[in-house]
Amino acid sequence: MTTPQRPHVVVVGAGFAGLACVRALARSPVDITLIDRRNYHLFQPLLYQVATAALSPADIAWPIRSIVARQPNVRVEMARVSGVDAERRTVVTEDGRWIAYDQLVLATGARHSYFGRDDWESVAPGLKKIADATAIRERVLLAFERAETEPDPFEQRRLLTFAVIGAGPTGVEMAGALAELARHALSKDFRSIDPQRARVVLIEAGARVLPSFPSRLSLKASQALERLGVEIRLGQPVTRCDADGVTVGDDRIPARSVVWAAGVVASPAARWLDAMHDRAGRVAVTDGLAVPGRPEIFVIGDTALANRPGGRPVPGIAPAAKQMGTYVGQVIDRRVRGQKPPPPFQYRHQGDMATVGRKAAVAVLGGVQLSGPLAWLMWALVHVYFLIGWRSRLLVSVNWLWSYLTFDRGARLITMEPEAVPPPRREVRSDAA
Amino acid sequence: MTTPQRPHVVVVGAGFAGLACVRALARSPVDITLIDRRNYHLFQPLLYQVATAALSPADIAWPIRSIVARQPNVRVEMARVSGVDAERRTVVTEDGRWIAYDQLVLATGARHSYFGRDDWESVAPGLKKIADATAIRERVLLAFERAETEPDPFEQRRLLTFAVIGAGPTGVEMAGALAELARHALSKDFRSIDPQRARVVLIEAGARVLPSFPSRLSLKASQALERLGVEIRLGQPVTRCDADGVTVGDDRIPARSVVWAAGVVASPAARWLDAMHDRAGRVAVTDGLAVPGRPEIFVIGDTALANRPGGRPVPGIAPAAKQMGTYVGQVIDRRVRGQKPPPPFQYRHQGDMATVGRKAAVAVLGGVQLSGPLAWLMWALVHVYFLIGWRSRLLVSVNWLWSYLTFDRGARLITMEPEAVPPPRREVRSDAA
């Protein structure tokens, strides 16, 4: 490692927040090291479409290096950070390197939270990484394959039952996409089973789906889901989750495929910094998005607990992460130039959107509530627009248009080695509901 | 399993041969069970483009079920066959099911052969399945990532050396694509290393590259590879292959990434049948492509040793597999209708093609030898034409056109979990050349 002559900014995490920060520093007299443990930036809002075989991973993920290739003050390192030595202003990587910084930006995102039931993770995988999405895709497709040759009707039914836990945008979109996969894409492919009879159950502990949306749109979304055949269970939390199904209150739902969309916890940045954090692990930051007492360390995106006027936290969504990243880039730029800092960070909420299957969506944009095909079209346009690069926009548009016209799903691949696929769990019958 | 009323044809393997056979039986009064251990049919000739990040797996693979969805006499089962009981006319699957047949078609393909050195497999993976291609893609991309942060120049050089063993079409195409990946797609992405200085070595035990082509075209291909910077080593076999590199004759080539394209061996059908086979495991078949003494068992595609007039075997390429499949479909159709069998199988050789990078290819078609951009264009058109479905044709064309115009590679993803990635092997230095 050469010692940079200009201030050295280390950005950990190349998600929406980290990339926005790097971009805001494009013309700044700094040297940036962007560290991520993966080599790609992921457009997480469309990950459920990979999990349901509509898109390929490469449609929604781009090599970090090529995104910043034309920004000469950035160096990218693929490494896993294991700690921060704030006294020595050094980031430590798992492969044993020490990287000194002048300004540090932690944008390491969030992962699933199982509310203390970490044993549920292997049974009910969440949806954060590409490997999660392809694993869920394989589990779902294998369930149909196994059902086709399963002689026991009870086990066949259990294989064809898909439970989604959590009815925020990810859970709603996942449930809708699963129902469409079964009802349209797979409808003619099997001989022994009828995929249209697959059961998709969406489970939410709260009182309605999409709790962050206006209640009128929650109702619209519920109706659209029910039209697709999704069963919605509200008001009761999951109390048990194992290889044979889930228990909601006193009710047992036998299911071989369970997807977790219920909660997230921030990455371990708070532990690295020994900093104040909330129950979800988010680091409490100042109104300048820095760690209190450490003005050279910023925490942004899903890892940060930033408060809006009135005390509500800034939500953990992509536009908020981008705004935080851009803001911190400005703070650092002004600081290294010796200018006075910008005013405190102010989050501007642009809206919320969620799609339900092929033609329906709900959206709140600038105070206007939309639902139905028009909201779907807007959802599609917004998402295509925010993809990186024309190649992805073109490929995703082609794939969507194709699916829209033909109901087909192109990416229905089980690519894991058969050896690596968990064996059929036919023996386990003890809990039969 | 219901007992079929009509003759039951079991086809094992949904590659080019198996699918062609199933299609030839579309109007036949038979019930077909098509068994494959994967859920997809793979267009293997383009697999090297997945390994070099030009295409996504879903661009060249399609669910078997959707390919035959409109053929009502076919039932698809995803299962691994573990044996054949020829006396009882039954196929046995690994999950313990017995499937009775009246006519059996084995089209189980080939896998890599390491000529008795199976310990080389983990070091020098081959290219037969999607998982192979994504594993090689990750290994190659990780080598560049590690080189970027590697302080030792010797190890850096070793990380940036890529050896391809075997200079048949797969090896030639792989070496050309690796050279282009390094020289164009990655050229601006790194700060410490210059990907253009990566070393690609193509190793062939025989006297020239593309030994099955006319020698003039071998020379053209060599020249095109050398223009891309590929080093070609001819006339000496690999004598050692380990985690640190390969030894060719007395010469040691330190390399962290090695790809095997040197030999194949037929799948274990010969063992299942206890049948006559050659050294490569191919089952010797009659001129009607049946097993001698077992007229109800056919072996086709890369698993079969069928002789052409003059004694040369039918080559292990896609068009030959398709012709065999179609022929056996006709034999079975006539048999079940009580008609006399067709004349013996006659292989028609249509030509050979191989591409070298972005603009060059060599081809022999109908006796005409072609090379250069025109051959490349023909190669591209032929390959797009043979993809299944307009969606794939469109997506592959968009991807190719994009790469052609921009030199970019869209699918540069390392999706394995970091835990699953083999750790850097920095300690091992004993054999330094």
PDB file of all heavy atoms in Angstrom, chain A residues 39 65 71 74-75 129 145 190-192 391 399 412 414 417, chain B residues 39 65 74-75 129 145 190-192 391 399 412 414 417:
ATOM      1  N   ASN A  39     -17.866  -8.529  -4.964  1.00  0.00           N
ATOM      2  CA  ASN A  39     -17.326  -7.746  -6.073  1.00  0.00           C
ATOM      3  C   ASN A  39     -18.421  -7.008  -6.837  1.00  0.00           C
ATOM      4  O   ASN A  39     -18.154  -6.382  -7.830  1.00  0.00           O
ATOM      5  CB  ASN A  39     -16.505  -8.642  -7.023  1.00  0.00           C
ATOM      6  CG  ASN A  39     -17.360  -9.396  -8.024  1.00  0.00           C
ATOM      7  OD1 ASN A  39     -18.456  -9.831  -7.692  1.00  0.00           O
ATOM      8  ND2 ASN A  39     -16.865  -9.559  -9.236  1.00  0.00           N
ATOM      9  N   ARG A  65     -16.093  -2.485  -9.535  1.00  0.00           N
ATOM     10  CA  ARG A  65     -14.976  -1.874 -10.255  1.00  0.00           C
ATOM     11  C   ARG A  65     -15.418  -1.158 -11.510  1.00  0.00           C
ATOM     12  O   ARG A  65     -14.907  -0.096 -11.838  1.00  0.00           O
ATOM     13  CB  ARG A  65     -13.973  -2.944 -10.673  1.00  0.00           C
ATOM     14  CG  ARG A  65     -13.298  -3.596  -9.536  1.00  0.00           C
ATOM     15  CD  ARG A  65     -12.130  -4.467  -9.958  1.00  0.00           C
ATOM     16  NE  ARG A  65     -11.555  -5.053  -8.766  1.00  0.00           N
ATOM     17  CZ  ARG A  65     -10.782  -4.393  -7.928  1.00  0.00           C
ATOM     18  NH1 ARG A  65     -10.448  -3.135  -8.169  1.00  0.00           N
ATOM     19  NH2 ARG A  65     -10.325  -4.965  -6.838  1.00  0.00           N
ATOM     20  N   GLN A  71     -13.703   6.866 -12.334  1.00  0.00           N
ATOM     21  CA  GLN A  71     -13.448   7.854 -11.290  1.00  0.00           C
ATOM     22  C   GLN A  71     -12.044   7.595 -10.758  1.00  0.00           C
ATOM     23  O   GLN A  71     -11.840   6.710  -9.922  1.00  0.00           O
ATOM     24  CB  GLN A  71     -14.501   7.721 -10.174  1.00  0.00           C
ATOM     25  CG  GLN A  71     -14.434   8.850  -9.166  1.00  0.00           C
ATOM     26  CD  GLN A  71     -15.565   8.797  -8.141  1.00  0.00           C
ATOM     27  OE1 GLN A  71     -16.661   8.310  -8.435  1.00  0.00           O
ATOM     28  NE2 GLN A  71     -15.304   9.311  -6.951  1.00  0.00           N
ATOM     29  N   VAL A  74     -10.645   6.661  -7.014  1.00  0.00           N
ATOM     30  CA  VAL A  74     -11.168   5.526  -6.249  1.00  0.00           C
ATOM     31  C   VAL A  74     -10.344   4.275  -6.513  1.00  0.00           C
ATOM     32  O   VAL A  74     -10.037   3.952  -7.659  1.00  0.00           O
ATOM     33  CB  VAL A  74     -12.616   5.184  -6.635  1.00  0.00           C
ATOM     34  CG1 VAL A  74     -13.174   4.122  -5.689  1.00  0.00           C
ATOM     35  CG2 VAL A  74     -13.472   6.406  -6.626  1.00  0.00           C
ATOM     36  N   ARG A  75     -10.044   3.582  -5.463  1.00  0.00           N
ATOM     37  CA  ARG A  75      -9.425   2.270  -5.543  1.00  0.00           C
ATOM     38  C   ARG A  75     -10.398   1.301  -4.879  1.00  0.00           C
ATOM     39  O   ARG A  75     -10.914   1.583  -3.795  1.00  0.00           O
ATOM     40  CB  ARG A  75      -8.118   2.354  -4.771  1.00  0.00           C
ATOM     41  CG  ARG A  75      -7.364   1.084  -4.634  1.00  0.00           C
ATOM     42  CD  ARG A  75      -6.217   1.283  -3.633  1.00  0.00           C
ATOM     43  NE  ARG A  75      -5.702  -0.017  -3.304  1.00  0.00           N
ATOM     44  CZ  ARG A  75      -4.744  -0.633  -3.993  1.00  0.00           C
ATOM     45  NH1 ARG A  75      -4.159  -0.019  -4.990  1.00  0.00           N
ATOM     46  NH2 ARG A  75      -4.367  -1.845  -3.678  1.00  0.00           N
ATOM     47  N   LYS A 129     -28.853 -11.221  -0.420  1.00  0.00           N
ATOM     48  CA  LYS A 129     -27.716 -11.388  -1.321  1.00  0.00           C
ATOM     49  C   LYS A 129     -28.154 -12.196  -2.541  1.00  0.00           C
ATOM     50  O   LYS A 129     -29.181 -12.864  -2.518  1.00  0.00           O
ATOM     51  CB  LYS A 129     -26.603 -12.195  -0.630  1.00  0.00           C
ATOM     52  CG  LYS A 129     -26.161 -11.655   0.697  1.00  0.00           C
ATOM     53  CD  LYS A 129     -25.011 -12.488   1.251  1.00  0.00           C
ATOM     54  CE  LYS A 129     -25.366 -13.927   1.511  1.00  0.00           C
ATOM     55  NZ  LYS A 129     -25.881 -14.180   2.858  1.00  0.00           N
ATOM     56  N   GLU A 145     -40.573 -29.956  -8.330  1.00  0.00           N
ATOM     57  CA  GLU A 145     -40.011 -31.196  -8.889  1.00  0.00           C
ATOM     58  C   GLU A 145     -40.316 -32.388  -7.982  1.00  0.00           C
ATOM     59  O   GLU A 145     -40.684 -33.462  -8.445  1.00  0.00           O
ATOM     60  CB  GLU A 145     -38.493 -31.070  -9.065  1.00  0.00           C
ATOM     61  CG  GLU A 145     -38.050 -30.057 -10.107  1.00  0.00           C
ATOM     62  CD  GLU A 145     -38.403 -30.471 -11.523  1.00  0.00           C
ATOM     63  OE1 GLU A 145     -38.596 -31.676 -11.762  1.00  0.00           O
ATOM     64  OE2 GLU A 145     -38.522 -29.588 -12.389  1.00  0.00           O
ATOM     65  N   PHE A 190     -46.253 -29.656 -15.597  1.00  0.00           N
ATOM     66  CA  PHE A 190     -46.233 -30.897 -14.827  1.00  0.00           C
ATOM     67  C   PHE A 190     -47.369 -31.812 -15.258  1.00  0.00           C
ATOM     68  O   PHE A 190     -48.329 -31.370 -15.894  1.00  0.00           O
ATOM     69  CB  PHE A 190     -46.314 -30.572 -13.332  1.00  0.00           C
ATOM     70  CG  PHE A 190     -45.075 -29.869 -12.825  1.00  0.00           C
ATOM     71  CD1 PHE A 190     -44.936 -28.490 -12.950  1.00  0.00           C
ATOM     72  CD2 PHE A 190     -44.035 -30.577 -12.254  1.00  0.00           C
ATOM     73  CE1 PHE A 190     -43.788 -27.845 -12.509  1.00  0.00           C
ATOM     74  CE2 PHE A 190     -42.890 -29.954 -11.811  1.00  0.00           C
ATOM     75  CZ  PHE A 190     -42.769 -28.578 -11.940  1.00  0.00           C
ATOM     76  N   ARG A 191     -47.215 -33.109 -14.931  1.00  0.00           N
ATOM     77  CA  ARG A 191     -48.232 -34.077 -15.334  1.00  0.00           C
ATOM     78  C   ARG A 191     -48.993 -34.625 -14.124  1.00  0.00           C
ATOM     79  O   ARG A 191     -50.184 -34.893 -14.215  1.00  0.00           O
ATOM     80  CB  ARG A 191     -47.572 -35.241 -16.088  1.00  0.00           C
ATOM     81  CG  ARG A 191     -46.841 -34.818 -17.363  1.00  0.00           C
ATOM     82  CD  ARG A 191     -47.784 -34.352 -18.464  1.00  0.00           C
ATOM     83  NE  ARG A 191     -47.062 -33.993 -19.689  1.00  0.00           N
ATOM     84  CZ  ARG A 191     -46.817 -32.749 -20.072  1.00  0.00           C
ATOM     85  NH1 ARG A 191     -47.239 -31.720 -19.348  1.00  0.00           N
ATOM     86  NH2 ARG A 191     -46.168 -32.510 -21.199  1.00  0.00           N
ATOM     87  N   SER A 192     -48.282 -34.811 -12.985  1.00  0.00           N
ATOM     88  CA  SER A 192     -48.939 -35.398 -11.815  1.00  0.00           C
ATOM     89  C   SER A 192     -49.574 -34.334 -10.928  1.00  0.00           C
ATOM     90  O   SER A 192     -50.568 -34.587 -10.258  1.00  0.00           O
ATOM     91  CB  SER A 192     -47.942 -36.182 -10.956  1.00  0.00           C
ATOM     92  OG  SER A 192     -47.370 -37.217 -11.702  1.00  0.00           O
ATOM     93  N   ARG A 391     -27.229  -1.396 -20.635  1.00  0.00           N
ATOM     94  CA  ARG A 391     -27.314  -2.819 -20.894  1.00  0.00           C
ATOM     95  C   ARG A 391     -28.343  -3.480 -19.972  1.00  0.00           C
ATOM     96  O   ARG A 391     -29.215  -4.227 -20.415  1.00  0.00           O
ATOM     97  CB  ARG A 391     -25.944  -3.470 -20.692  1.00  0.00           C
ATOM     98  CG  ARG A 391     -25.940  -4.948 -20.918  1.00  0.00           C
ATOM     99  CD  ARG A 391     -24.583  -5.573 -20.622  1.00  0.00           C
ATOM    100  NE  ARG A 391     -24.746  -6.969 -20.279  1.00  0.00           N
ATOM    101  CZ  ARG A 391     -25.121  -7.399 -19.092  1.00  0.00           C
ATOM    102  NH1 ARG A 391     -25.353  -6.541 -18.125  1.00  0.00           N
ATOM    103  NH2 ARG A 391     -25.281  -8.678 -18.877  1.00  0.00           N
ATOM    104  N   ASN A 399     -36.779  -8.779 -20.649  1.00  0.00           N
ATOM    105  CA  ASN A 399     -37.272  -9.883 -19.819  1.00  0.00           C
ATOM    106  C   ASN A 399     -38.683  -9.614 -19.301  1.00  0.00           C
ATOM    107  O   ASN A 399     -39.535 -10.494 -19.318  1.00  0.00           O
ATOM    108  CB  ASN A 399     -36.334 -10.102 -18.633  1.00  0.00           C
ATOM    109  CG  ASN A 399     -35.313 -11.175 -18.913  1.00  0.00           C
ATOM    110  OD1 ASN A 399     -35.653 -12.249 -19.386  1.00  0.00           O
ATOM    111  ND2 ASN A 399     -34.058 -10.875 -18.643  1.00  0.00           N
ATOM    112  N   ARG A 412     -35.501 -20.267 -14.796  1.00  0.00           N
ATOM    113  CA  ARG A 412     -35.929 -21.326 -13.873  1.00  0.00           C
ATOM    114  C   ARG A 412     -34.873 -22.410 -13.767  1.00  0.00           C
ATOM    115  O   ARG A 412     -35.077 -23.555 -14.150  1.00  0.00           O
ATOM    116  CB  ARG A 412     -37.254 -21.911 -14.343  1.00  0.00           C
ATOM    117  CG  ARG A 412     -38.320 -20.877 -14.281  1.00  0.00           C
ATOM    118  CD  ARG A 412     -39.737 -21.379 -14.405  1.00  0.00           C
ATOM    119  NE  ARG A 412     -39.907 -22.648 -15.002  1.00  0.00           N
ATOM    120  CZ  ARG A 412     -40.402 -22.845 -16.217  1.00  0.00           C
ATOM    121  NH1 ARG A 412     -40.701 -21.816 -16.975  1.00  0.00           N
ATOM    122  NH2 ARG A 412     -40.587 -24.044 -16.670  1.00  0.00           N
ATOM    123  N   ILE A 414     -32.126 -24.785 -11.650  1.00  0.00           N
ATOM    124  CA  ILE A 414     -31.612 -25.347 -10.410  1.00  0.00           C
ATOM    125  C   ILE A 414     -30.158 -25.678 -10.704  1.00  0.00           C
ATOM    126  O   ILE A 414     -29.866 -26.677 -11.348  1.00  0.00           O
ATOM    127  CB  ILE A 414     -32.398 -26.602 -10.003  1.00  0.00           C
ATOM    128  CG1 ILE A 414     -33.884 -26.250  -9.846  1.00  0.00           C
ATOM    129  CG2 ILE A 414     -31.837 -27.187  -8.715  1.00  0.00           C
ATOM    130  CD1 ILE A 414     -34.766 -27.456  -9.581  1.00  0.00           C
ATOM    131  N   GLU A 417     -25.304 -28.272  -7.336  1.00  0.00           N
ATOM    132  CA  GLU A 417     -25.028 -29.674  -7.576  1.00  0.00           C
ATOM    133  C   GLU A 417     -26.013 -30.520  -6.784  1.00  0.00           C
ATOM    134  O   GLU A 417     -26.285 -30.217  -5.621  1.00  0.00           O
ATOM    135  CB  GLU A 417     -23.608 -30.009  -7.136  1.00  0.00           C
ATOM    136  CG  GLU A 417     -22.615 -29.584  -8.168  1.00  0.00           C
ATOM    137  CD  GLU A 417     -23.027 -30.093  -9.539  1.00  0.00           C
ATOM    138  OE1 GLU A 417     -22.749 -31.235  -9.849  1.00  0.00           O
ATOM    139  OE2 GLU A 417     -23.654 -29.332 -10.303  1.00  0.00           O
TER     140      GLU A 417
ATOM    141  N   ASN B  39     -32.663 -29.836 -13.901  1.00  0.00           N
ATOM    142  CA  ASN B  39     -33.963 -29.408 -14.408  1.00  0.00           C
ATOM    143  C   ASN B  39     -33.834 -28.624 -15.703  1.00  0.00           C
ATOM    144  O   ASN B  39     -34.805 -28.126 -16.229  1.00  0.00           O
ATOM    145  CB  ASN B  39     -34.727 -28.606 -13.342  1.00  0.00           C
ATOM    146  CG  ASN B  39     -34.307 -27.149 -13.275  1.00  0.00           C
ATOM    147  OD1 ASN B  39     -33.141 -26.835 -13.446  1.00  0.00           O
ATOM    148  ND2 ASN B  39     -35.261 -26.265 -13.030  1.00  0.00           N
ATOM    149  N   ARG B  65     -38.791 -28.977 -18.608  1.00  0.00           N
ATOM    150  CA  ARG B  65     -40.256 -29.039 -18.614  1.00  0.00           C
ATOM    151  C   ARG B  65     -40.875 -28.082 -19.614  1.00  0.00           C
ATOM    152  O   ARG B  65     -41.846 -28.412 -20.285  1.00  0.00           O
ATOM    153  CB  ARG B  65     -40.804 -28.676 -17.236  1.00  0.00           C
ATOM    154  CG  ARG B  65     -40.470 -29.674 -16.192  1.00  0.00           C
ATOM    155  CD  ARG B  65     -41.220 -29.438 -14.898  1.00  0.00           C
ATOM    156  NE  ARG B  65     -40.797 -30.448 -13.944  1.00  0.00           N
ATOM    157  CZ  ARG B  65     -41.173 -31.710 -13.991  1.00  0.00           C
ATOM    158  NH1 ARG B  65     -42.039 -32.096 -14.910  1.00  0.00           N
ATOM    159  NH2 ARG B  65     -40.721 -32.586 -13.124  1.00  0.00           N
ATOM    160  N   VAL B  74     -45.147 -36.684 -23.097  1.00  0.00           N
ATOM    161  CA  VAL B  74     -43.903 -36.689 -22.314  1.00  0.00           C
ATOM    162  C   VAL B  74     -44.169 -36.328 -20.871  1.00  0.00           C
ATOM    163  O   VAL B  74     -44.888 -35.363 -20.577  1.00  0.00           O
ATOM    164  CB  VAL B  74     -42.891 -35.659 -22.850  1.00  0.00           C
ATOM    165  CG1 VAL B  74     -41.546 -35.842 -22.126  1.00  0.00           C
ATOM    166  CG2 VAL B  74     -42.716 -35.774 -24.321  1.00  0.00           C
ATOM    167  N   ARG B  75     -43.554 -37.066 -19.984  1.00  0.00           N
ATOM    168  CA  ARG B  75     -43.547 -36.755 -18.576  1.00  0.00           C
ATOM    169  C   ARG B  75     -42.084 -36.565 -18.194  1.00  0.00           C
ATOM    170  O   ARG B  75     -41.230 -37.360 -18.564  1.00  0.00           O
ATOM    171  CB  ARG B  75     -44.146 -37.949 -17.838  1.00  0.00           C
ATOM    172  CG  ARG B  75     -44.119 -37.887 -16.378  1.00  0.00           C
ATOM    173  CD  ARG B  75     -44.514 -39.263 -15.808  1.00  0.00           C
ATOM    174  NE  ARG B  75     -44.214 -39.241 -14.400  1.00  0.00           N
ATOM    175  CZ  ARG B  75     -45.076 -38.813 -13.477  1.00  0.00           C
ATOM    176  NH1 ARG B  75     -46.292 -38.453 -13.825  1.00  0.00           N
ATOM    177  NH2 ARG B  75     -44.714 -38.763 -12.216  1.00  0.00           N
ATOM    178  N   LYS B 129     -20.927 -28.264 -16.865  1.00  0.00           N
ATOM    179  CA  LYS B 129     -22.188 -27.903 -16.244  1.00  0.00           C
ATOM    180  C   LYS B 129     -22.204 -26.405 -15.954  1.00  0.00           C
ATOM    181  O   LYS B 129     -21.159 -25.753 -15.932  1.00  0.00           O
ATOM    182  CB  LYS B 129     -22.348 -28.627 -14.900  1.00  0.00           C
ATOM    183  CG  LYS B 129     -22.167 -30.122 -14.960  1.00  0.00           C
ATOM    184  CD  LYS B 129     -22.397 -30.745 -13.589  1.00  0.00           C
ATOM    185  CE  LYS B 129     -21.421 -30.267 -12.536  1.00  0.00           C
ATOM    186  NZ  LYS B 129     -20.231 -31.102 -12.424  1.00  0.00           N
ATOM    187  N   GLU B 145      -8.915 -10.024  -8.342  1.00  0.00           N
ATOM    188  CA  GLU B 145      -9.148  -9.306  -7.078  1.00  0.00           C
ATOM    189  C   GLU B 145      -7.975  -9.494  -6.126  1.00  0.00           C
ATOM    190  O   GLU B 145      -7.523  -8.548  -5.472  1.00  0.00           O
ATOM    191  CB  GLU B 145     -10.436  -9.808  -6.404  1.00  0.00           C
ATOM    192  CG  GLU B 145     -11.727  -9.493  -7.149  1.00  0.00           C
ATOM    193  CD  GLU B 145     -12.042  -7.999  -7.173  1.00  0.00           C
ATOM    194  OE1 GLU B 145     -11.532  -7.255  -6.312  1.00  0.00           O
ATOM    195  OE2 GLU B 145     -12.773  -7.576  -8.082  1.00  0.00           O
ATOM    196  N   PHE B 190      -8.636  -1.784 -12.523  1.00  0.00           N
ATOM    197  CA  PHE B 190      -7.754  -1.979 -11.377  1.00  0.00           C
ATOM    198  C   PHE B 190      -6.761  -0.829 -11.261  1.00  0.00           C
ATOM    199  O   PHE B 190      -6.545  -0.083 -12.208  1.00  0.00           O
ATOM    200  CB  PHE B 190      -7.028  -3.324 -11.514  1.00  0.00           C
ATOM    201  CG  PHE B 190      -7.954  -4.490 -11.374  1.00  0.00           C
ATOM    202  CD1 PHE B 190      -8.662  -4.967 -12.468  1.00  0.00           C
ATOM    203  CD2 PHE B 190      -8.157  -5.096 -10.151  1.00  0.00           C
ATOM    204  CE1 PHE B 190      -9.543  -6.027 -12.339  1.00  0.00           C
ATOM    205  CE2 PHE B 190      -9.034  -6.163 -10.024  1.00  0.00           C
ATOM    206  CZ  PHE B 190      -9.730  -6.623 -11.120  1.00  0.00           C
ATOM    207  N   ARG B 191      -6.183  -0.678 -10.065  1.00  0.00           N
ATOM    208  CA  ARG B 191      -5.246   0.412  -9.836  1.00  0.00           C
ATOM    209  C   ARG B 191      -3.827  -0.089  -9.635  1.00  0.00           C
ATOM    210  O   ARG B 191      -2.882   0.532 -10.074  1.00  0.00           O
ATOM    211  CB  ARG B 191      -5.687   1.224  -8.601  1.00  0.00           C
ATOM    212  CG  ARG B 191      -7.064   1.862  -8.735  1.00  0.00           C
ATOM    213  CD  ARG B 191      -7.125   2.965  -9.783  1.00  0.00           C
ATOM    214  NE  ARG B 191      -8.446   3.587  -9.856  1.00  0.00           N
ATOM    215  CZ  ARG B 191      -9.331   3.342 -10.816  1.00  0.00           C
ATOM    216  NH1 ARG B 191      -9.054   2.496 -11.781  1.00  0.00           N
ATOM    217  NH2 ARG B 191     -10.498   3.959 -10.809  1.00  0.00           N
ATOM    218  N   SER B 192      -3.660  -1.240  -8.940  1.00  0.00           N
ATOM    219  CA  SER B 192      -2.318  -1.745  -8.653  1.00  0.00           C
ATOM    220  C   SER B 192      -1.796  -2.642  -9.771  1.00  0.00           C
ATOM    221  O   SER B 192      -0.606  -2.709 -10.002  1.00  0.00           O
ATOM    222  CB  SER B 192      -2.307  -2.559  -7.356  1.00  0.00           C
ATOM    223  OG  SER B 192      -2.725  -1.780  -6.280  1.00  0.00           O
ATOM    224  N   ARG B 391     -36.731 -15.635 -26.798  1.00  0.00           N
ATOM    225  CA  ARG B 391     -36.241 -14.850 -25.670  1.00  0.00           C
ATOM    226  C   ARG B 391     -34.721 -14.981 -25.553  1.00  0.00           C
ATOM    227  O   ARG B 391     -33.993 -13.995 -25.471  1.00  0.00           O
ATOM    228  CB  ARG B 391     -36.909 -15.318 -24.372  1.00  0.00           C
ATOM    229  CG  ARG B 391     -36.429 -14.568 -23.159  1.00  0.00           C
ATOM    230  CD  ARG B 391     -37.064 -15.113 -21.874  1.00  0.00           C
ATOM    231  NE  ARG B 391     -36.200 -14.820 -20.765  1.00  0.00           N
ATOM    232  CZ  ARG B 391     -35.116 -15.533 -20.453  1.00  0.00           C
ATOM    233  NH1 ARG B 391     -34.794 -16.582 -21.173  1.00  0.00           N
ATOM    234  NH2 ARG B 391     -34.372 -15.179 -19.446  1.00  0.00           N
ATOM    235  N   ASN B 399     -26.668  -9.080 -25.625  1.00  0.00           N
ATOM    236  CA  ASN B 399     -25.421  -9.176 -24.868  1.00  0.00           C
ATOM    237  C   ASN B 399     -24.201  -9.147 -25.777  1.00  0.00           C
ATOM    238  O   ASN B 399     -23.220  -8.475 -25.494  1.00  0.00           O
ATOM    239  CB  ASN B 399     -25.404 -10.468 -24.046  1.00  0.00           C
ATOM    240  CG  ASN B 399     -25.888 -10.245 -22.637  1.00  0.00           C
ATOM    241  OD1 ASN B 399     -25.447  -9.310 -21.966  1.00  0.00           O
ATOM    242  ND2 ASN B 399     -26.797 -11.073 -22.181  1.00  0.00           N
ATOM    243  N   ARG B 412     -20.000 -10.212 -14.616  1.00  0.00           N
ATOM    244  CA  ARG B 412     -18.775 -10.419 -13.840  1.00  0.00           C
ATOM    245  C   ARG B 412     -19.085 -10.515 -12.364  1.00  0.00           C
ATOM    246  O   ARG B 412     -18.687  -9.680 -11.557  1.00  0.00           O
ATOM    247  CB  ARG B 412     -17.809  -9.270 -14.095  1.00  0.00           C
ATOM    248  CG  ARG B 412     -17.341  -9.320 -15.528  1.00  0.00           C
ATOM    249  CD  ARG B 412     -16.174  -8.458 -15.866  1.00  0.00           C
ATOM    250  NE  ARG B 412     -15.861  -7.420 -14.953  1.00  0.00           N
ATOM    251  CZ  ARG B 412     -16.032  -6.139 -15.220  1.00  0.00           C
ATOM    252  NH1 ARG B 412     -16.561  -5.758 -16.352  1.00  0.00           N
ATOM    253  NH2 ARG B 412     -15.668  -5.237 -14.355  1.00  0.00           N
ATOM    254  N   ILE B 414     -19.092 -12.491  -8.633  1.00  0.00           N
ATOM    255  CA  ILE B 414     -18.590 -13.529  -7.737  1.00  0.00           C
ATOM    256  C   ILE B 414     -19.686 -13.737  -6.710  1.00  0.00           C
ATOM    257  O   ILE B 414     -19.857 -12.933  -5.802  1.00  0.00           O
ATOM    258  CB  ILE B 414     -17.280 -13.095  -7.057  1.00  0.00           C
ATOM    259  CG1 ILE B 414     -16.224 -12.772  -8.119  1.00  0.00           C
ATOM    260  CG2 ILE B 414     -16.789 -14.182  -6.111  1.00  0.00           C
ATOM    261  CD1 ILE B 414     -14.940 -12.201  -7.549  1.00  0.00           C
ATOM    262  N   GLU B 417     -20.507 -17.521  -1.556  1.00  0.00           N
ATOM    263  CA  GLU B 417     -20.286 -16.904  -0.257  1.00  0.00           C
ATOM    264  C   GLU B 417     -18.786 -16.855   0.018  1.00  0.00           C
ATOM    265  O   GLU B 417     -18.081 -17.819  -0.254  1.00  0.00           O
ATOM    266  CB  GLU B 417     -20.983 -17.709   0.827  1.00  0.00           C
ATOM    267  CG  GLU B 417     -22.431 -17.389   0.897  1.00  0.00           C
ATOM    268  CD  GLU B 417     -22.638 -15.886   0.916  1.00  0.00           C
ATOM    269  OE1 GLU B 417     -22.569 -15.304   1.993  1.00  0.00           O
ATOM    270  OE2 GLU B 417     -22.866 -15.289  -0.154  1.00  0.00           O
TER     271      GLU B 417
END
